[in-house]
């Protein structure tokens, strides 16, 4: 029953959705060619440009957002592609929270290939939600030849820097995840020993499994200890085991953002 309620709640909380059709000009994508690293990886960038007043979403968009989806199926000679999402903003939307970007965002990507000596052909598609008062699904196709150059692109480099601090960089201490069963899933309470990230700390918890829905976190702070509690439920309503090492916790504050990978038993 809970999975049906989850589905209906999700649909009700999304902004009004319309077909893309004539709205495709609300977003544009450009490939920034980037540079080849000493290890043979290639750093490129996908620049998404939105019409004024519109926004798009981070990898974990919140209950009012639409998660972006990449496809690189048309990219030969490429073994792996890893996106690096810049620090997002938190938006309040019709009483709900969403997380993402407005105007323009550059998403750096690290590309691993079987042959790092020559140019790399990259092509694919990015499906995103673009929202103002309504939300519109947009599919953006891209294709580029990436030269084997060592010349760094300042815009990509800046986007690489504009990412949450690691737990080590932010001097985060112990991070624990206490797990308790609920009727149809798990309640996970993450406790982090860390300094304040600034006013209005927002915590996003990801299960590390796309088939698991995670609720908005209830956040409290007592001195140097930050606590976030979420419910996790499998979309198909079945039982699941949580791998604490796969849990990802992002703390977004007015002063800084922190990206924490994994937690221990609490």
């Amino acid at each position: 029953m809970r999975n049906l309620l989850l589905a209906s709640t999700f649909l009700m909380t999304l902004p009004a959705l319309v077909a893309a059709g004539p709205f495709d000009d609300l977003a544009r994508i450009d490939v920034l060619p980037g540079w080849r690293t000493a290890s043979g990886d290639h750093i490129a960038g996908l620049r998404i440009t939105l019409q004024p007043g519109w926004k798009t979403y981070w990898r974990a968009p919140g209950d009012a957002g639409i998660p972006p989806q990449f496809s690189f199926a048309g990219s030969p000679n490429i073994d792996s592609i890893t996106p690096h999402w810049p620090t997002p903003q938190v938006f309040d939307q019709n009483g709900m929270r969403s997380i993402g970007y407005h105007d323009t965002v550059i998403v750096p990507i690290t590309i691993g290939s079987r042959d790092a000596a020559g140019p790399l052909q990259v092509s694919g598609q990015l499906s995103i939600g673009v929202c103002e008062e309504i939300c519109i699904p947009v599919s953006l196709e891209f294709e580029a030849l990436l030269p084997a150059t060592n010349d760094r692109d300042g815009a990509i480099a800046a986007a690489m820097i504009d990412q949450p601090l690691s737990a080590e960089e932010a001097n985060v201490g112990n991070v624990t995840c206490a797990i308790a069963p609920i009727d149809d899933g798990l309640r996970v309470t993450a406790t982090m020993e860390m300094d304040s990230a600034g006013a209005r700390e927002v915590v996003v918890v990801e299960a590390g499994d796309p088939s698991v829905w995670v609720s908005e976190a209830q956040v409290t702070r007592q001195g140097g200890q930050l606590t976030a509690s979420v419910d996790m439920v499998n979309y198909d309503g079945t039982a699941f085991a949580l791998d604490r090492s796969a849990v990802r916790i992002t703390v977004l504050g007015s002063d800084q953002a922190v990206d924490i990978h994994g937690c221990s038993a609490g």
Side-chain angles (χ1 to χ4, degrees):
M1 183 67 179
R2 173 63 176 266
N3 58 322
L4 293 177
L5 291 173
L6 278 175
S8 60
T9 301
F10 176 74
L11 290 173
M12 287 189 294
T13 56
L14 279 179
L17 217 77
V18 300
F23 301 100
D24 288 344
D25 61 348
L26 289 173
R28 187 181 78 246
I29 190 167
D30 299 292
V31 179
L32 305 182
W35 66 91
R36 200 69 48 89
T37 69
S39 67
D41 287 341
H42 194 98
I43 308 296
L46 299 177
R47 181 172 58 204
I48 303 167
T49 304
L50 307 171
Q51 291 289 341
W54 291 75
K55 60 180 179 289
T56 192
Y57 296 105
W58 185 53
R59 64 165 194 269
D63 283 344
I66 300 172
Q69 293 185 334
F70 286 102
S71 170
F72 293 94
S75 300
N77 196 37
I78 290 178
D79 290 329
S80 63
I81 297 182
T82 303
H84 306 281
W85 293 96
T87 300
Q89 291 182 269
V90 179
F91 303 107
D92 290 316
Q93 183 174 335
N94 300 323
M96 296 176 292
R97 179 182 298 161
S98 63
I99 302 172
Y101 312 95
H102 62 81
D103 298 331
T104 300
V105 60
I106 294 174
V107 181
I109 54 175
T110 298
I111 302 170
S113 68
R114 291 181 289 276
D115 180 8
L120 286 175
Q121 180 71 33
V122 61
S123 60
Q125 185 180 75
L126 174 61
S127 298
I128 59 174
V130 180
C131 297
E132 190 188 38
E133 296 300 322
I134 59 174
C135 250
I136 297 164
V138 174
S139 292
L140 305 169
E141 295 184 353
F142 54 88
E143 184 173 4
L145 189 65
L146 309 178
T149 176
N150 296 324
D151 296 334
R152 289 179 171 247
D153 183 311
I156 300 174
M160 290 286 283
I161 294 170
D162 183 24
Q163 292 186 61
L165 299 173
S166 68
E168 182 179 6
E169 290 169 331
N171 296 316
V172 176
N174 290 333
V175 180
T176 61
C177 289
I179 299 174
I182 55 176
D183 288 343
D184 44 9
L186 301 172
R187 178 156 297 146
V188 179
T189 301
T191 302
M192 295 147 279
E193 295 177 358
M194 60 180 293
D195 293 334
S196 173
R200 195 195 175 207
E201 290 174 304
V202 171
V203 179
V204 181
V205 180
E206 299 169 77
D209 181 347
S211 67
V212 175
W213 172 84
V214 183
S215 71
E216 187 174 293
Q218 301 299 311
V219 180
T220 59
R221 174 174 281 282
Q222 291 185 340
Q225 188 174 85
L226 182 67
T227 300
S229 181
V230 298
D231 290 348
M232 295 188 182
V233 178
N234 203 323
Y235 277 112
D236 64 10
T238 61
F240 67 98
L242 180 67
D243 179 1
R244 285 184 174 88
S245 67
V247 171
R248 190 170 187 177
I249 303 167
T250 307
V251 181
L252 302 170
S254 58
D255 296 338
Q256 63 183 22
V258 183
D259 186 9
I260 301 168
H261 291 258
C263 54
S264 60

